[in-house]
Amino acid sequence: MQKLGEFKLPHFFNYPPYFTLQPVREAREKQVQLWKELILDYCRTQKIFVIGLEEEFPLFSNSVIERTLSHEAREAFLSALVSEGHAEWLDKGHRKCLILWHRIQDWAEIILNFVKDNGFEHSVMTVEEIRSGIESRGTELHGIDRMILMRALKLLQQKGKLAIFKGTSADDEGVKFSV
C-alpha cells in the first residue's frame, strides 16, 4: 500500500482511471465519493484546512502512475464537498476551498465538550489558547483554523453558551464560557 508520509493511500489512488473524470454517471458517482472521502480523511489527519485549486496538493497527483487530476476534476471533487456542507469556496473564482471535515455546528459541539471535559465551564480563555494552548494539545482543537474556530465560537455565542470579548488585537480576543 502506497503512503504519503504516514498517511496510507487507498488502493484506487494507484488506478489511473480515477485521475480522469469518468463519463459514465454511475462510475463518476463512485469516483466522486471515493475522492471526497480521501480528501476529508487526508485533511483531517494532516490538519489541512484550505486547499488551493491551482496550488500543489499531494493528493492531486501520483508520480508512481504518472497521473495528475485536471483542474476540472479538482473543482468537481471539491464542489461535491461544498454541496454536502463539508467545504466552502473562499472566493467567487473557486480558487481556494475551506475544508470542513467537521461542519461548523460539529466544531461547536467539540468546543463544548472540550470546555466540559476540562472544567472550563465558567472560565475565560483567549482564542489563541483554544487553538494552540497547552490545554488543547492532543485534541482536535489544537491547530484549528482561526476562521473555523471563530465561526464555531460565534455560533455558540448566538446560543448563549459563551461571550466573545474583543481585545486590542486578534491575538488577545477572549472567550467567557457559560456552559
Side-chain angles (χ1 to χ4, degrees), residues 7-145:
F7 184 80
K8 290 180 183 165
L9 293 161
H11 294 293
F12 84 83
F13 195 75
N14 285 321
Y15 189 54
Y18 276 90
F19 281 84
T20 305
L21 279 176
Q22 296 300 300
V24 177
R25 189 174 59 83
E26 293 83 11
R28 183 178 291 209
E29 286 172 0
K30 172 93 171 143
Q31 177 189 32
V32 168
Q33 184 61 37
L34 288 169
W35 275 99
K36 286 187 310 187
E37 291 168 6
L38 174 60
I39 292 168
L40 286 176
D41 192 33
Y42 183 76
C43 288
R44 181 182 49 77
T45 61
Q46 306 301 308
K47 294 219 177 219
I48 295 170
F49 293 92
V50 177
I51 296 177
L53 217 58
E54 295 158 8
E55 298 166 15
E56 286 291 318
F57 185 67
L59 294 181
F60 291 162
S61 63
N62 183 340
S63 58
V64 173
I65 59 170
E66 298 178 355
R67 292 288 189 272
T68 299
L69 287 175
S70 68
H71 186 277
E72 179 188 11
R74 295 172 191 207
E75 189 168 359
F77 301 149
L78 292 174
S79 289
L81 287 170
V82 168
S83 70
E84 291 182 352
H86 279 293
E88 296 174 3
W89 292 112
L90 292 174
D91 60 336
K92 287 186 165 78
H94 292 193
R95 288 186 304 274
K96 288 206 179 286
C97 194
L98 180 69
I99 304 299
L100 299 166
W101 61 85
H102 292 302
R103 293 180 178 94
I104 297 299
Q105 61 269 26
D106 298 329
W107 279 115
E109 195 62 37
I110 290 167
I111 293 167
L112 284 180
N113 290 335
F114 167 76
V115 167
K116 291 173 186 170
D117 291 347
N118 291 286
F120 298 139
E121 285 92 338
H122 299 286
S123 300
V124 175
M125 297 180 81
T126 66
V127 170
E128 286 307 307
E129 283 178 313
I130 297 169
R131 288 184 69 223
S132 57
I134 293 168
E135 296 86 358
S136 72
R137 282 191 192 147
T139 72
E140 285 190 278
L141 292 174
H142 198 78
I144 186 174
D145 180 82

